[in-house]
Amino acid sequence: ETIRLDMNRIYDGVDLTVKFAGEIASFSDPWAWIKNRITNNNFKGLRIGDYIPAKMNAGTVAGYSIAAQTFRCQIAGINTYKNCGDTEIGNHIDFIAKEVISTPIKWNPTDNNNGTSAQNHPWLASALYAILNGVNNYSTAAYGSQAHGANANGAGIFQLLPQALRNQIIEKRDLIDSRYSASAYLTYSTGWSWQNVGKLWAPKELEVYGAQVRSNLGYAQGYWNPENGLSAAYPLFANQARNRVLRNSSGARCHWWLSSPAAYNSAHVCYVSANGYAYNHAATNSTICAPLCFRIG
């Protein structure tokens, strides 16, 4: 029955704090328990889609009023990137909540998907990265002096999460593209490198769809192409589409951002539509929400 459910992708996941209540009772909290499981390479009884609830506090983040919200943080992948990396990645679980952060957040303050002279990686130069992680990366050191990033120093979404969860989250190490020129807006990447992409992050397009649909196809049609060069589709999304649809706290289906700049233009970023299909829109779109994604390892 377990194999049948997995193969048919009809398993909805269970609350691990209920399933393993007896085991968790020996730990200070469920996050310390799952960290111990990961450290000891013990994934027995854990399945893709199983989740641990977490409640985010209300607060103000870079001018956004964020309401308190409960998330079901589901297992998106187990050891998906183990053994990879410039520094070898060890045991880990990547979590992606069933719910988006209900307040829509702009990917950038201007319609620009490039990096800056201070930070040439578009994701790390974005406002969404700063708002999720509580950092200040605001800059106008870009072509055309366009604004990038946001000032969320010490007061981001990460800081609104419970301390027990924050204690266990680690940076996601990833191979990401760079896209910056002092003389023009770029529509493709011009390089790549290994970077820490945040304790909170958005998936790349390939991680959700298993292919690049609207994202950066790479310089020289694929030479600088970190998504195809490294990324794997998370099992949560592989061979089915329904788990791509995330909802807000009211249960409504929502558009949600990815970290991938769109190809063929300098203004758009990829996102998952409320209908589930791959799309892209201007970085200042104010109707798209952010996912809650993190790694414990």
Side-chain angles (χ1 to χ4, degrees):
E1 178 66 8
T2 297
I3 294 172
R4 184 183 71 81
L5 289 172
D6 281 341
M7 293 300 291
N8 289 334
R9 296 295 189 267
I10 61 175
Y11 179 68
D12 285 327
V14 299
D15 186 339
L16 293 175
T17 65
V18 175
K19 182 177 180 179
F20 291 101
E23 210 177 293
I24 293 171
S26 300
F27 294 84
S28 59
D29 57 80
W31 301 108
W33 164 76
I34 197 70
K35 166 68 173 180
N36 181 266
R37 280 290 209 100
I38 295 167
T39 299
N40 289 288
N41 198 33
N42 179 10
F43 302 108
K44 184 178 180 180
L46 305 180
R47 299 175 62 189
I48 301 300
D50 288 344
Y51 61 90
I52 299 176
K55 185 172 183 179
M56 179 179 69
N57 296 318
T60 299
V61 177
Y64 292 95
S65 180
I66 306 297
Q69 187 176 346
T70 298
F71 297 92
R72 291 170 292 173
C73 304
Q74 57 189 341
I75 296 175
I78 299 173
N79 280 348
T80 306
Y81 290 105
K82 185 177 181 179
N83 303 328
C84 297
D86 55 340
T87 300
E88 187 170 348
I89 298 170
N91 288 340
H92 64 279
I93 292 178
D94 287 340
F95 290 85
I96 298 178
K98 290 176 178 282
E99 297 80 19
V100 296
I101 297 162
S102 292
T103 301
I105 297 170
K106 295 178 182 179
W107 205 87
N108 244 349
T110 55
D111 288 330
N112 194 307
N113 65 17
N114 283 216
T116 70
S117 61
Q119 176 51 261
N120 63 11
H121 298 284
W123 167 245
L124 296 179
S126 73
L128 186 59
Y129 165 78
I131 290 166
L132 288 175
N133 290 281
V135 300
N136 179 9
N137 67 350
Y138 181 80
S139 175
T140 57
Y143 177 71
S145 299
Q146 285 201 336
H148 288 65
N151 184 356
N153 191 30
I157 299 297
F158 179 77
Q159 285 74 25
L160 298 179
L161 296 176
Q163 185 66 53
L165 172 55
R166 284 187 280 152
N167 289 343
Q168 308 304 337
I169 295 177
I170 64 171
E171 290 269 353
K172 181 180 180 181
R173 188 73 173 169
D174 205 354
L175 185 64
I176 59 173
D177 62 315
S178 56
R179 184 191 294 201
Y180 171 72
S181 169
S183 58
Y185 296 117
L186 301 182
T187 60
Y188 292 100
S189 63
T190 55
W192 59 5
S193 67
W194 289 97
Q195 298 289 326
N196 289 334
V197 298
K199 291 189 172 182
L200 301 184
W201 36 270
K204 292 186 281 190
E205 188 180 46
L206 193 147
E207 292 177 320
V208 175
Y209 289 96
Q212 290 184 270
V213 184
R214 294 175 176 266
S215 61
N216 187 2
L217 301 179
Y219 179 74
Q221 302 303 306
Y223 185 69
W224 297 112
N225 198 339
E227 289 208 31
N228 272 328
L230 173 74
S231 297
Y234 280 118
L236 182 68
F237 306 118
N239 300 318
Q240 52 82 36
R242 66 181 188 139
N243 285 337
R244 295 174 189 156
V245 176
L246 303 183
R247 300 176 184 269
N248 63 19
S249 57
S250 299
R253 299 186 304 171
C254 292
H255 306 313
W256 54 282
W257 288 117
L258 299 172
S259 60
S260 305
Y264 300 108
N265 73 76
S266 62
H268 284 212
V269 180
C270 296
Y271 72 93
V272 179
S273 80
N275 298 322
Y277 60 79
Y279 209 63
N280 59 275
H281 212 285
T284 59
N285 188 294
S286 59
T287 66
I288 303 176
C289 295
L292 180 65
C293 313
F294 56 87
R295 172 172 292 178
I296 295 181

